[in-house]
Amino acid sequence: MIKHKLVGKKVAQVLPQFLITVGEKAQFIAQEAIAEGLSSGNVMSCDNTDQAIQLLRDLDILDAAILIKGSRGMHLDKVSRELLQEPSTADLVIPR
């Protein structure tokens, strides 16, 4: 939990347009980012990758920089694969 809160604190310093977290533990990231000043309207927590994918589809992300970071167990690679398959974002994704 302490590491997740530290990530939330660092994220708030960067001031991203959106923060989307996935999973129960990642909610600590979202909470800390809000506590550190990130607008709660720009912070969204998802229970799973499918919710995150749908949320990304609903948001205007064409001009956004998106960092997808998480443990292998969260299967966030599914999110990047989905972005690569989406015609509107496929050319914008740089997989690592």
Side-chain angles (χ1 to χ4, degrees):
M1 178 172 90
I2 293 172
K3 289 181 181 180
H4 288 83
K5 285 188 172 189
L6 179 60
V7 170
K9 182 177 277 206
K10 294 292 185 183
V11 167
Q13 293 172 358
V14 176
L15 294 173
Q17 185 175 357
F18 299 108
L19 170 61
I20 302 169
T21 64
V22 179
E24 186 176 334
K25 292 179 183 177
Q27 289 179 11
F28 293 114
I29 296 170
Q31 292 167 359
E32 190 67 20
I34 292 169
E36 291 292 322
L38 198 59
S39 171
S40 62
N42 295 0
V43 178
M44 292 139 266
S45 294
C46 300
D47 293 328
N48 55 54
T49 55
D50 290 331
Q51 285 181 351
I53 290 167
Q54 188 57 53
L55 186 57
L56 284 166
R57 285 182 179 148
D58 294 342
L59 293 172
D60 180 15
I61 60 168
L62 289 180
D63 292 326
I66 300 170
L67 169 64
I68 300 171
K69 171 68 179 96
S71 66
R72 293 264 185 218
M74 291 306 302
H75 307 288
L76 294 178
D77 55 311
K78 182 177 178 183
V79 177
S80 55
R81 278 197 313 272
E82 191 68 29
L83 290 172
L84 283 166
Q85 291 177 1
E86 183 68 35
S88 63
T89 56
D91 292 340
L92 307 174
V93 177
I94 303 170
R96 298 270 179 211

